[in-house]
Amino acid sequence: MLKFYTQFSVDHGHEPEAILAVAKTWLDGSPHSSFNRDNLEALTLQTPGPLQQGNEKIQLAHCYESDYQGLGVRHENLDNKQVRWVTEIVGAKIGGRFWISVLLSCDSDTPLTHSPQAKKPYIVRLILEHFGGGQDANLTLTDEPTRLQDNEADFSVISHIINGDSDNMLPVVYCSADEYNRCSVDPDDLAKWLSGMAHVLVEPHRRFSFDLKEATGGKNVYLGAVGIYWPNGGLTRVLPGDRFASANDLAVEVARTIRDSLVTQRSIKGCSWSQLRERVSRSKIRALKQQDSAELEQFVAAFDDELKAKEEQLAAAELTINSLRSELMNLRAIKDHSGSSLVCEGQEQDLYPGERKDLVQEVLQAALKNAQPNTRMFDLIDDLIQANTPVGERARLLAAVKQTLSQYQSMDKKTRSEIEKMGFSFEEENRHYKLMFKGDPRYKINLAKTSSDHRSGKNLVSQIRKEFF
């Protein structure tokens, strides 16, 4: 049962042999392993194992050719519930890049009542600390978020990612800015959770999303939502920040989604344990043929090793197939539960949480008043109203506008502060202000610096309602 998988590039200046040293450090410091630095000294390139210690076993494989240099470590541990945990770490220099993969799986000879839970292997963090992250298209692998700047270069990077035109291999988690230019999650914590699994990019400010909408045809997330963009324009998931009880709940869901998706990806050719073992076997066979060896047993043993490597590769493929089947079942379950969408969202973005939903609610309420009771139309409209609870942000904003501006006389410090809290911004001109809402430049109204009569405030509230709500 495949529990975790990731693959990423690291700094090409290191050699694959360093993986063995990192693996030894990992096991020496692990509370779940009886191996330590002393008894791991026996594991070398010349004595690759397997090395046994209690219920644990570790072995090494390496292959060095003109166009390929690879080294891998495979660790097995049988826990007290008789579940066998297998961790495979493989590093391979292929085509001028240094790739590393980390796989964690488990199995049992007896049926399990529930699927064992597993965390991201700690060795992923150790690998990044030792080797340093490599390049992934225009992004660098790191355990810190990339905070985008409002410039042409960063805008081009994220728009290409969203449009599926980037060559990045790892998924990208995009944290959009809410109306107060804040993220719905802590991007620093999220980047650490997802290190070695995904890139975390942070939107510079709310206005950035309006330009991004034009460049991506509305495929960007916005208003505090978190988007997951897979390479080559793959499946995208949008996680609205206001649908989770806390920022931590949202972050957990993002991390779970990334992990569940990564276990279904194919490994880079030559960067898995079974593929490395296969290369080792082929290398031995070529060496024996070149020596014109008549030692049949050596040939048989080499072929047996190759066959075993093929069997392991097949088993790994079966794990992937099972994971894909599970994901397919989940997707079908979601589809069956949700059914077809009643309303297409269109291209307009919400300027505040639930803007479109609240508007549809208001339209339905108005339609219900004009419908004849005990008719099909009345029952359909009433059913839609009951099935869709309004967010209520529109009503709250309108009430705040009325309370703040209905008696408007002049733009004092307190009034300006209250208006800005609602998401309004100002452009100052000679005798009036240009009032804009939520950074959308398409809609503006004039606001006098001082009112002309006692009805100015009420007229202003009415004008704001018509223009912005």
Side-chain angles (χ1 to χ4, degrees), residues 281-328:
S281 298
R282 287 179 179 176
S283 180
K284 289 179 180 178
I285 292 169
R286 282 196 299 268
L288 288 170
K289 286 181 177 178
Q290 289 172 0
Q291 295 171 9
D292 194 24
S293 173
E295 298 177 18
L296 182 59
E297 290 185 3
Q298 292 186 39
F299 271 105
V300 172
F303 278 115
D304 284 346
D305 284 343
E306 183 177 17
L307 179 60
K308 189 173 181 181
K310 287 287 188 183
E311 290 172 348
E312 290 176 357
Q313 197 168 347
L314 179 60
E318 288 175 347
L319 283 173
T320 302
I321 291 170
N322 289 334
S323 296
L324 286 169
R325 283 174 177 167
S326 177
E327 184 181 11
L328 181 60

Side-chain angles (χ1 to χ4, degrees), residues 85-152:
W85 293 89
V86 178
T87 306
E88 298 172 353
I89 308 103
V90 177
K93 283 192 170 184
I94 311 168
R97 303 286 296 277
F98 189 177
W99 296 101
I100 291 183
S101 69
V102 179
L103 178 150
L104 175 65
S105 64
C106 68
D107 59 44
S108 175
D109 292 333
T110 59
L112 299 174
T113 56
H114 64 280
S115 176
Q117 298 300 308
K119 296 180 180 179
K120 181 176 78 173
Y122 184 68
I123 195 169
V124 175
R125 177 178 173 181
L126 293 178
I127 289 170
L128 289 173
E129 288 178 354
H130 182 89
F131 291 93
Q135 285 297 119
D136 187 16
N138 291 318
L139 302 171
T140 302
L141 189 67
T142 177
D143 63 354
E144 297 179 352
T146 299
R147 301 182 187 276
L148 298 178
Q149 302 299 312
D150 191 357
N151 57 43
E152 186 175 342

